Amino acid sequence: MVRCFLIHTVCPVGAVAAGDSRVLYSRVFGPDEVMMSELSPEERRLLQKEKTAVVARHVRSAVSLFREASGQPLVEMVPGEEALALQEADSGVVRLRAGDPFSEEMSALWLGVQSLGFALVCEPHENLLLAEGTLRNLTRHCLDHLHMLGPGSEVLLRSNRIDALLSRLLPHGQLLFLNHRFAQSLEKEVAAYMAK
Amino acid sequence: MCTFQTDDSFTPSCLYSVQLSPESAFLSPLQPLFPCFSLTSHSLSVALSDGMLKHKELQLPIHQCHPSISVPNPFFTTPLPLSTVAIHFRLPPELQKRLVSLLSSPVEQLQVLSSAVLRETLPLSGQELNYNQENIGQLNSHAAALLLSQAGSRADLSSLCAQLLRSLESRQSEGPAHCLTHTLPILNTVLTHSPESLTEDHVTLLSKKLVDWLRYASITQGVGASSGGFFTGPRSRQPAPIAELDGTVSGDFFTVLCVGQGFTDDQWMNVYSFSMLRHWLLTYHSVSNGNTTADTANRLQLSLSLSHSHSFSYDDRSEVDGSVVSMVSATSSSSRLLPPKERLREKAFQYCQRLIEQSDRKAHKKTDTDLQKACLVEAVCILDCVCVEDTSLVFRTFPCIKGLFGRLSSDLSFARVLLPIAQFYLNHGEMAAVDCESVWNLVFGRFPAELFNDHFLAHELLRFLRLNLESLQLRVPQYTHSFPNLLKLLAWDSPALVDDFVDLLPSLVTTGTAVELLHTLLDLPCLSATLVLQLRSVCLPIADPGGRGLLSLDAFRNPSFRGLFLFLLRTEAGSGDTIDRLSTLHELLAEAADWPRVVQCAQTVPVLLHIFFNTVITVADEKLLAHLILVMLERSSLLLNIPKYCREIHRVFSCHLLRLCKLHPSLVVDQSHELLEFAGATANVYSKEEIYTHVVWVLGEYLSVSCDSRCSVSLITSCFEALEAVLFEITSSAPAPGAVCAAPRVITTLMSALAKLASRSHDLIPRVSLFLSKLRTVTRGGSVAWCSDEDDLVAIVTRGEELWSLLKAPGVAQSVLTPPPHVTTPQWHRDINVAMPLRLRALTNLTHSQ
């Protein structure tokens, strides 16, 4: 199972402290981990948000360390070059120890596209090859449908598009073995949703 | 009071706007504000009027941006994320109700939006989202996601599961099935988060359904998904058979690697079933048998609520007979000779065998090639899983796994598939008496050596090692000797993998490997640089201008230095602890000192060294520890020249030198020759201040008969003379031009060490006293060349005076400076009979504050 999907910044942003990351979209799948605890709904909610923020910070530092080590300068991409940007994207995986922030160990797969980070938090026994493919696929759709390489705030204002995307390609956090035919048929549905 | 202006047309542009009166306003009473909500297709707007008819409008994107703002200012003019607001207020009940009703709207946008808004706001207290049980069949994916995310208790989940399973059962006869595809993911989610919510009956039922979908999905193509309704007469056209990925007609049952123009519902369910199969096989054991009473109650309640809408003969029967009936009850036409769980295992086995066979086909699309790899991983994991449960399957499975290994082992692009195969060999190889040598040669040999720059493989390989540590140590002797190779992974991607090595390192420390491991860890930055060079020398042709100017790259290609680099790149331990031309290697790699990858790697070494030393004291004998002390002294000047790295390493060495000597004081007498040699070299005062200070302290503290009876007067005298010479040298002349003065801490430590030694051999007391009195005379002038700071000088002189007065009474000096060991053991502090030593000890601490 995938525990959450995140889109966040991986480069310095004006209002955010250096080294921190701004979460642009987050979706936690399934019931809350702390469902059985004594926390009030407000506290549970806040805790969940903090958890996603922790993941974002981990990924942000992983991306910047990765880029620093590879020593390759980042080439600016413009709208229309989504496919190239995705091809050039950095990717990696971070081990999240138990308790930091989830109660069990997790693996956070990430994809760094320009100044954006896309992350999938998976259970560690999950099929990471499949998760990697799914993350790429999701990222491709997000870049295409939300015009994320250009200026604008569609990722904030049209987040329902990401919801619709996730409900098909990653229903309730379930990674799917989709061959290109199955994928095409789901993508047709997605395209129909986006067109409305 | 709330007043609603409802836009009945339900256009996505404006769904609702709500005007709240001050009583129900969510903000503090001091700020009489009148919020006004409006929900548009992509945001929730809240307009606030502050009583002076000044309107401020907030646009609230449905998703959060910044969860850390805790107190929202209602007069923010910038978009304020909904989440921050929702921490402080709930939606008005009426609005929430309307939103809930929108969940079942036929327009998907509205479902998505209302689900998102409700998910991001707080549920009403006591008024949980009560989904009507009768139309659970129509529960769309978005509403279900909301139900899951707001489930407040196990009971909620349990009843949701029961309803979903019921809807699965009734599926065949009614309704479009594709709205049920999300049922399996939901059940899988529940299984992940709270397996107790499922009962044994649920497991039986779902196992049976999974068998049907996995093994008996249609083998003809479905009609195109778009051509719905009118022209889809079921027998209007002969449906085409499904095809394999290479285009040939499929000759066996349907799997996720089959393609067609369109897919039938049960083919979709096949995909969903296989996607959750492994997790199901892994966790259905944790489903409790204990909560049958709660379950019965649940079912009773449900059957009451459902009795008027549907009749479920299956459940009615199981109500009476218990879970036995559910095994007998047949929903599929095939014969069932096995109980459901065994049957599922059998079918999973067949499915995986078929996937492995299908993965050999040449796919036309790259995405399908990737999918084949992912399917291989999944298939091998599932086979492993079923073999763990039912060992009789091991013998049936091994030929296939062996064949797969033979097919893939020469192609490293399949490395990530080979890892689950290695897991299979580890789990079952012994039982099947299979030779695993070639598997381990691959995993510990070629993988780290050739694929060290594959981040995902590194992550998975190290996880494999962590999970199987015990059996690896037991069954795979080459594991502990493969550390030079495994550390390549760390040297390449230190930040991401240091966590794994923190866990793994203790298992690599044995008496046989400790010394070589210590050297290897210290040279880790060199290894990192060498790996960079190795990749560059492959990527860049020799004549490439990009490679020019890199002296280290030339050195790497130079045959006369080949041996040095080959030693770093060795794949196995045991060819010698280190090499004698290490300083040459460090010079060759000097320019790598500021390469980011090398710097990152250097930062992880101190952490690992701490772990190394903490582990080694638990396994090593005194002889080995003595050897390690020598290595520390030697390597303190033989490190890749990264100033910060050297400082950190010296700090780690100092810390553990002290710990080792404290644990085994006789080590100091043992190694006195080397320690004295180190402490007698004045250059070390300046270049290795930290470690030098500690060596001097250790000599002063532990060179005593009470620690080791072999400690002779002549040994104490020679140590005294060596230290005295250094102290005299650094306090008599200015440092060489360009060098800094000796640290005051070194000087006071030397003075204390001399006083300690003198207190044990009273002949030496006049010599210390003479030095200390001279020191006072020299410094009376106010400034000296060897100490630039006045405060430091005062502190040094004060320490000198204290020691001098203490040494005037040799008996007291001895009991203060060399307290008998029993005084330092903590339990004496309660004994009033040893109050005197205690007081002396306190005095020691005061006069001798280090």
Side-chain angles (χ1 to χ4, degrees):
Chain A
M1 292 292 296
V2 173
R3 288 301 179 91
C4 73
F5 172 68
L6 281 179
I7 305 176
H8 58 88
T9 60
V10 292
C11 287
V13 185
V16 182
D20 211 342
S21 172
R22 168 164 286 184
V23 178
L24 301 173
Y25 176 88
S26 83
R27 176 69 189 276
V28 178
F29 296 103
D32 205 21
E33 275 191 334
V34 288
M35 184 174 70
M36 305 307 156
S37 70
E38 295 296 300
L39 296 179
S40 69
E42 281 96 340
E43 288 167 328
R44 268 165 53 176
R45 191 175 177 293
L46 194 59
L47 191 63
Q48 200 182 63
K49 296 293 168 202
E50 283 302 328
K51 278 183 185 171
T52 52
V54 169
V55 176
R57 280 198 291 272
H58 274 301
V59 172
R60 188 208 190 285
S61 60
V63 175
S64 30
L65 286 166
F66 182 96
R67 286 182 176 171
E68 190 189 290
S70 73
Q72 275 154 4
L74 204 60
V75 185
E76 188 80 20
M77 305 268 180
V78 292
E81 297 182 315
E82 280 86 3
L84 185 63
L86 188 62
Q87 200 189 321
E88 302 279 295
D90 305 309
S91 67
V93 54
V94 183
R95 173 185 170 200
L96 303 174
R97 273 184 182 267
D100 182 27
F102 297 94
S103 58
E104 290 148 40
E105 185 180 316
M106 295 287 159
S107 297
L109 266 74
W110 56 262
L111 209 56
V113 185
Q114 304 281 305
S115 55
L116 295 168
F118 296 82
L120 273 189
V121 178
C122 305
E123 287 173 350
H125 60 75
E126 197 54 84
N127 188 329
L128 293 190
L129 265 177
L130 182 64
E132 220 182 309
T134 309
L135 178 60
R136 270 189 191 273
N137 200 12
L138 284 173
T139 306
R140 179 168 61 84
H141 281 100
C142 286
L143 291 177
D144 285 349
H145 293 297
L146 295 164
H147 314 290
M148 293 181 78
L149 288 187
S153 50
E154 286 192 53
V155 62
L156 296 179
L157 298 177
R158 302 238 168 132
S159 62
N160 63 322
R161 290 185 165 194
I162 311 178
D163 285 331
L165 197 61
L166 287 175
S167 77
R168 285 168 178 88
L169 297 178
L170 193 62
H172 307 280
Q174 176 73 58
L175 291 167
L176 294 176
F177 289 85
L178 300 171
N179 64 43
H180 77 279
R181 281 291 176 185
F182 278 106
Q184 270 173 8
S185 124
L186 286 180
E187 276 158 18
K188 231 182 258 172
E189 280 184 42
V190 169
Y193 179 94
M194 303 296 175
K196 272 184 214 165
Chain B
M1 287 294 288
C2 306
T3 52
F4 287 89
Q5 296 137 26
T6 309
D7 185 350
D8 282 326
S9 63
F10 279 5
T11 53
S13 59
C14 184
L15 305 175
Y16 284 106
S17 93
V18 186
Q19 184 76 47
L20 297 179
S21 68
E23 290 90 344
S24 61
F26 51 85
L27 295 160
S28 108
L30 294 174
Q31 286 172 294
L33 295 164
F34 303 87
C36 170
F37 297 89
S38 68
L39 181 66
T40 69
S41 62
H42 51 254
S43 69
L44 178 70
S45 299
V46 183
L48 299 166
S49 78
D50 61 3
M52 293 162 76
L53 297 176
K54 259 199 271 168
H55 284 263
K56 305 241 172 190
E57 194 160 84
L58 307 176
Q59 271 259 307
L60 304 179
I62 280 163
H63 273 279
Q64 76 285 18
C65 317
H66 199 287
S68 58
I69 300 174
S70 54
V71 183
N73 180 343
F75 295 107
F76 264 135
T77 48
T78 49
L80 185 66
L82 178 59
S83 66
T84 59
V85 182
I87 291 166
H88 295 269
F89 70 95
R90 297 155 192 278
L91 290 179
E94 204 59 32
L95 175 60
Q96 191 162 29
K97 243 181 240 167
R98 301 280 179 139
L99 282 170
V100 169
S101 71
L102 274 186
L103 280 175
S104 45
S105 147
V107 184
E108 193 188 350
Q109 268 89 344
L110 297 185
Q111 297 169 8
V112 175
L113 277 172
S114 50
S115 163
V117 172
L118 289 169
R119 203 170 51 231
E120 292 296 323
T121 53
L122 297 172
L124 285 178
S125 53
Q127 198 187 338
E128 303 300 333
L129 195 65
N130 251 333
Y131 214 81
N132 197 344
Q133 284 160 350
E134 273 146 67
N135 52 20
I136 191 90
Q138 280 108 53
L139 181 68
N140 62 59
S141 177
H142 306 291
L146 179 66
L147 265 181
L148 273 180
S149 72
Q150 298 199 336
S153 67
R154 221 158 259 168
D156 287 1
L157 290 178
S158 190
S159 70
L160 179 67
C161 281
Q163 292 167 45
L164 286 170
L165 281 162
R166 244 154 266 268
S167 70
L168 272 186
E169 266 237 303
S170 56
R171 185 187 71 88
Q172 269 133 350
S173 51
E174 59 178 270
H178 74 264
C179 43
L180 283 172
T181 47
H182 61 260
T183 311
L184 289 182
I186 295 175
L187 288 171
N188 204 15
T189 308
V190 175
L191 192 67
T192 305
H193 287 87
S194 119
E196 309 83 5
S197 307
L198 287 169
T199 64
E200 199 60 35
D201 287 356
H202 294 154
V203 172
T204 308
L205 172 65
L206 196 55
S207 295
K208 283 196 291 186
K209 302 300 285 186
L210 287 176
V211 166
D212 288 345
W213 287 316
L214 283 173
R215 186 61 180 78
Y216 303 106
S218 326
I219 49 165
T220 52
Q221 296 187 14
V223 282
S226 53
S227 61
F230 218 73
F231 300 103
T232 53
R235 279 166 208 88
S236 61
R237 201 172 35 171
Q238 190 64 34
I242 48 156
E244 299 286 341
L245 287 181
D246 59 1
T248 54
V249 171
S250 177
D252 207 339
F253 59 91
F254 183 87
T255 71
V256 293
L257 292 180
C258 293
V259 289
Q261 292 301 317
F263 296 105
T264 60
D265 292 335
D266 55 357
Q267 287 167 349
W268 277 102
M269 291 314 275
N270 184 287
V271 171
Y272 279 86
S273 304
F274 178 66
S275 300
M276 73 173 284
L277 180 60
R278 174 152 65 113
H279 190 244
W280 178 251
L281 291 172
L282 280 173
T283 40
Y284 66 29
H285 312 283
S286 39
V287 167
S288 67
N289 302 316
N291 60 353
T292 38
T293 41
D295 181 57
T296 314
N298 252 329
R299 272 186 283 138
L300 265 174
Q301 190 192 354
L302 261 165
S303 59
L304 283 176
S305 66
L306 290 164
S307 55
H308 62 275
S309 55
H310 303 293
S311 67
F312 292 104
S313 53
Y314 159 72
D315 283 289
D316 292 343
R317 269 188 283 132
S318 71
E319 202 67 67
V320 180
D321 299 335
S323 59
V324 190
V325 172
S326 54
M327 279 173 22
V328 185
S329 139
T331 49
S332 160
S333 56
S334 69
S335 64
R336 334 193 137 218
L337 302 168
L338 294 165
K341 274 188 188 173
E342 280 73 19
R343 193 152 181 273
L344 177 61
R345 235 178 270 151
E346 176 65 28
K347 297 301 170 191
F349 174 80
Q350 291 170 5
Y351 196 99
C352 292
Q353 298 256 352
R354 173 144 160 75
L355 278 185
I356 290 174
E357 172 206 308
Q358 283 179 301
S359 298
D360 208 10
R361 291 174 185 271
K362 180 108 190 73
H364 294 314
K365 302 241 170 194
K366 189 188 169 287
T367 52
D368 287 342
T369 313
D370 293 344
L371 183 71
Q372 280 176 320
K373 277 188 196 170
C375 282
L376 279 177
V377 169
E378 194 77 2
V380 176
C381 289
I382 290 175
L383 287 176
D384 180 40
C385 185
V386 295
C387 286
V388 166
E389 276 185 57
D390 181 357
T391 44
S392 66
L393 284 171
V394 170
F395 300 98
R396 286 172 63 195
T397 315
F398 238 116
C400 159
I401 296 285
K402 251 192 217 164
L404 189 61
F405 180 75
R407 196 171 101 200
L408 305 180
S409 58
S410 54
D411 185 354
L412 284 189
S413 67
F414 283 96
R416 292 175 66 189
V417 183
L418 290 164
L419 221 43
I421 296 181
Q423 178 78 66
F424 192 92
Y425 271 85
L426 185 66
N427 288 353
H428 310 291
E430 203 165 66
M431 185 186 165
V434 178
D435 179 27
C436 306
E437 197 61 24
S438 51
V439 177
W440 303 132
N441 286 342
L442 208 57
V443 171
F444 295 113
R446 288 189 71 193
F447 282 6
E450 296 176 42
L451 300 171
F452 57 85
N453 58 345
D454 183 337
H455 303 275
F456 290 95
L457 179 72
H459 176 83
E460 287 178 344
L461 175 58
L462 293 175
R463 185 180 135 74
F464 168 76
L465 298 183
R466 276 192 289 123
L467 289 185
N468 300 292
L469 205 49
E470 270 179 35
S471 50
L472 283 173
Q473 281 174 311
L474 202 69
R475 284 180 223 163
V476 190
Q478 55 264 64
Y479 165 65
T480 41
H481 281 272
S482 63
F483 68 82
N485 221 11
L486 293 177
L487 284 170
K488 284 176 194 165
L489 303 172
L490 179 68
W492 183 258
D493 190 13
S494 316
L497 302 180
V498 64
D499 236 11
D500 289 310
F501 275 92
V502 163
D503 292 347
L504 284 176
L505 194 63
S507 67
L508 296 169
V509 181
T510 63
T511 47
T513 57
V515 176
E516 188 180 346
L517 182 56
L518 177 57
H519 280 294
T520 312
L521 286 175
L522 290 170
D523 285 327
L524 208 58
C526 299
L527 177 59
S528 175
T530 308
L531 293 175
V532 173
L533 293 176
Q534 191 190 13
L535 278 195
R536 279 205 201 168
S537 74
V538 175
C539 300
L540 302 175
I542 295 177
D544 188 277
R548 290 265 172 80
L550 268 187
L551 293 173
S552 49
L553 195 55
D554 294 339
F556 183 76
R557 285 169 171 157
N558 189 336
S560 56
F561 301 125
R562 195 84 198 122
L564 302 179
F565 290 105
L566 281 181
F567 179 77
L568 281 182
L569 293 173
R570 70 199 186 280
T571 54
E572 257 184 316
S575 54
D577 294 337
T578 182
I579 40 176
D580 42 5
R581 288 162 74 203
L582 213 48
S583 55
T584 317
L585 184 65
H586 292 153
E587 277 163 30
L588 295 176
L589 293 173
E591 65 186 338
D594 57 352
W595 294 354
R597 196 177 294 282
V598 177
V599 173
Q600 286 178 5
C601 176
Q603 285 167 350
T604 61
V605 176
V607 182
L608 296 174
L609 280 182
H610 276 299
I611 294 168
F612 169 81
F613 283 112
N614 289 342
T615 317
V616 89
I617 52 171
T618 62
V619 299
D621 53 8
E622 229 167 278
K623 192 168 160 244
L624 179 57
L625 294 181
H627 193 170
L628 291 177
I629 289 183
L630 294 189
V631 173
M632 282 197 258
L633 294 180
E634 184 203 338
R635 291 301 309 258
S636 62
S637 52
L638 260 182
L639 293 168
L640 185 64
N641 187 21
I642 307 173
K644 205 170 166 220
Y645 174 64
C646 294
R647 268 202 308 281
E648 284 294 318
I649 298 299
H650 288 171
R651 197 165 295 162
V652 177
F653 279 174
S654 311
C655 159
H656 289 282
L657 179 72
L658 217 59
R659 284 188 61 197
L660 291 183
C661 294
K662 206 175 222 167
L663 214 61
H664 302 281
S666 58
L667 279 174
V668 179
V669 178
D670 259 350
Q671 303 303 317
S672 57
H673 181 70
E674 284 75 14
L675 288 169
L676 267 181
E677 203 176 307
F678 184 87
T682 315
N684 289 340
V685 173
Y686 302 104
S687 61
K688 291 164 226 163
E689 181 218 320
E690 181 82 18
I691 189 159
Y692 184 84
T693 314
H694 283 80
V695 168
V696 169
W697 189 87
V698 162
L699 283 171
E701 186 74 12
Y702 297 114
L703 213 55
S704 133
V705 186
S706 57
C707 294
D708 193 314
S709 53
R710 290 171 295 164
C711 182
S712 61
V713 176
S714 65
L715 184 58
I716 291 184
T717 311
S718 67
C719 176
F720 181 89
E721 281 168 354
L723 298 184
E724 186 190 34
V726 174
L727 183 59
F728 184 77
E729 195 180 334
I730 59 176
T731 56
S732 58
S733 55
V740 284
C741 298
R745 191 165 69 130
V746 178
I747 297 173
T748 53
T749 313
L750 275 166
M751 287 176 359
S752 306
L754 288 178
K756 283 180 195 172
L757 292 170
S759 73
R760 285 165 214 156
S761 172
H762 292 183
D763 298 349
L764 299 169
I765 290 181
R767 289 166 73 172
V768 192
S769 305
L770 183 66
F771 173 81
L772 294 172
S773 70
K774 261 194 202 161
L775 183 72
R776 196 164 64 162
T777 329
V778 169
T779 55
R780 206 162 273 163
S783 75
V784 287
W786 46 269
C787 181
S788 49
D789 189 283
E790 225 166 273
D791 289 344
D792 287 346
L793 190 60
V794 171
I796 291 170
V797 172
T798 314
R799 169 65 67 91
E801 281 172 350
E802 285 164 2
L803 292 171
W804 190 18
S805 28
L806 205 53
L807 286 171
K808 280 177 186 160
V812 176
Q814 187 168 16
S815 62
V816 171
L817 294 172
T818 316
H822 67 263
V823 176
T824 48
T825 48
Q827 58 268 40
W828 289 105
H829 71 279
R830 289 173 189 275
D831 189 342
I832 49 163
N833 292 324
V834 289
M836 186 56 193
L838 191 64
R839 218 175 300 160
L840 287 174
R841 185 163 163 66
L843 195 59
T844 313
N845 281 335
L846 286 173
T847 58
H848 180 200
S849 55
Q850 289 206 5

